[in-house]
Amino acid sequence: MASSAVTVIFNRRVAALKAPLAWLAACLTLLPAGASSFSLIQPEDGIFQRRDGIVTVPLPPLPDQRRPAEPSARDFDDGDPLPNTRGPAHIPGSSIGDDRPEPEAPSPDGAPDDTTAPQGMIPFADDGAPLPVAYGDDGLPTPVRDLRHKLMEIARSGDVEKLRPYLETGAEPTALSPQPVEGDPITLLKDASGDGDGVELMAILLEVLESGHVRMDPGEESEIFVWPYFTQVPMDSLDKRQLVELFELVTAGDYQRMLEVGAYDFYRVGISPAGRLEFFLMAD
């Protein structure tokens, strides 16, 4: 009796399921062939779901389903910019290459501005070339040339007193020593001379003014003509011809000392373009 009751209940439930299953089968016949088979339908996130004894699976998108249309200007209020979804606009009349940012032009100061004098040749002019060495009156302005001639004439005389009119005094005196000194300049020259009367210094003055010279700071307020040119040339860069000129002023022993010091350290003369004797001294 109980078995018959169970059978009746089961048959009623099966009959109740026939109508929904028939409806589901009719719906599936309307789908494309690609979606009519459960075996072709992928599970959502790899998991099938069960609801009341029925397996539910997600359906794939229909083949005629299109990509959502891009927003149009009507979708935005007046005055709102249309969003750019395709990148920067291209300017008509220009090539694709024109859209690339132009490289920055090199700065005029980009090139190295190194006017430092390399070892072995100093000083340098504005264009970086070594200063030219001149001899005699070559390149000398008239005031400089005239004073040079006068100083050489006095030096040949051996009378140091004749230098007095050409030794500047006052606030900017002619430098006769690396350090400021007081007292009579002629007395100072005599004391510095080996003979005690200034004759030796007159011979040195003559030899210095007969050597080659250089023009320092041309066109500047500090422009000056300097004898000998060795004051502006490293001692270890002199060739044999220049060494002959140097040995007219100093001995080989003096030259060895200058090599150790790294510079010419004997007497030198400086005359301004206006013909003023700026210095006659030996380096400290």
Side-chain angles (χ1 to χ4, degrees):
M1 187 71 175
S3 175
S4 300
V6 170
T7 301
V8 171
I9 294 172
F10 177 77
N11 290 336
R12 287 178 180 176
R13 290 184 176 180
V14 170
L17 290 175
K18 286 183 179 180
L21 290 175
W23 176 84
L24 177 60
C27 291
L28 290 176
T29 59
L30 298 178
L31 296 176
S36 60
S37 174
F38 284 137
S39 63
L40 299 179
I41 302 175
Q42 298 296 326
E44 183 178 4
D45 297 331
I47 302 174
F48 291 100
Q49 302 177 10
R50 293 180 179 274
R51 294 179 183 173
D52 298 333
I54 302 175
V55 176
T56 61
V57 295
L59 296 178
L62 298 178
D64 60 347
Q65 199 171 14
R66 294 180 176 84
R67 186 178 52 157
E70 294 184 1
S72 65
R74 290 192 298 271
D75 298 327
F76 299 91
D77 296 335
D78 293 341
D80 292 339
L82 188 65
N84 187 353
T85 60
R86 299 173 182 258
H90 178 63
I91 302 174
S94 62
S95 65
I96 297 300
D98 295 336
D99 293 339
R100 295 193 302 267
E102 296 183 2
E104 296 183 2
S107 171
D109 298 332
D113 182 18
D114 186 7
T115 56
T116 304
Q119 257 189 327
M121 191 62 71
I122 57 172
F124 281 77
D126 293 338
D127 59 359
L131 290 176
V133 177
Y135 294 85
D137 293 337
D138 187 22
L140 297 179
T142 300
V144 179
R145 181 197 63 196
D146 291 346
L147 180 59
R148 173 176 177 268
H149 288 175
K150 190 63 179 178
L151 294 178
M152 292 175 69
E153 178 184 341
I154 294 172
R156 288 189 179 98
S157 73
D159 188 354
V160 68
E161 186 64 38
K162 292 181 179 180
L163 277 180
R164 189 179 293 276
Y166 304 97
L167 298 178
E168 303 291 339
T169 58
E172 297 181 357
T174 298
L176 301 176
S177 173
Q179 292 83 26
V181 293
E182 298 180 356
D184 181 62
I186 299 300
T187 302
L188 177 64
L189 292 176
K190 289 181 177 181
D191 292 343
S193 184
D195 63 293
D197 202 20
V199 176
E200 182 187 33
L201 282 187
M202 292 298 94
I204 293 174
L205 177 61
L206 179 62
E207 291 177 341
V208 168
L209 290 173
E210 287 178 340
S211 66
H213 64 271
V214 291
R215 181 187 181 191
M216 302 290 297
D217 301 331
E220 303 293 334
E221 186 177 352
S222 58
E223 180 179 356
I224 192 171
F225 294 84
V226 178
W227 289 261
Y229 70 89
F230 303 115
T231 60
Q232 307 304 319
V233 179
M235 292 292 96
D236 58 1
S237 69
L238 301 180
D239 57 28
K240 291 184 177 181
R241 179 189 60 82
Q242 293 170 318
L243 285 175
V244 170
E245 295 177 353
L246 177 65
F247 290 155
E248 292 178 347
L249 298 171
V250 300
T251 66
D254 295 330
Y255 172 61
Q256 292 300 320
R257 182 189 68 250
M258 294 176 188
L259 286 175
E260 296 175 2
V261 174
Y264 173 88
D265 60 5
F266 198 53
Y267 278 91
R268 74 280 316 277
V269 172
I271 301 177
S272 71
R276 183 180 188 271
L277 180 58
E278 297 293 341
F279 56 81
F280 171 44
L281 52 79
M282 184 170 66
D284 191 1

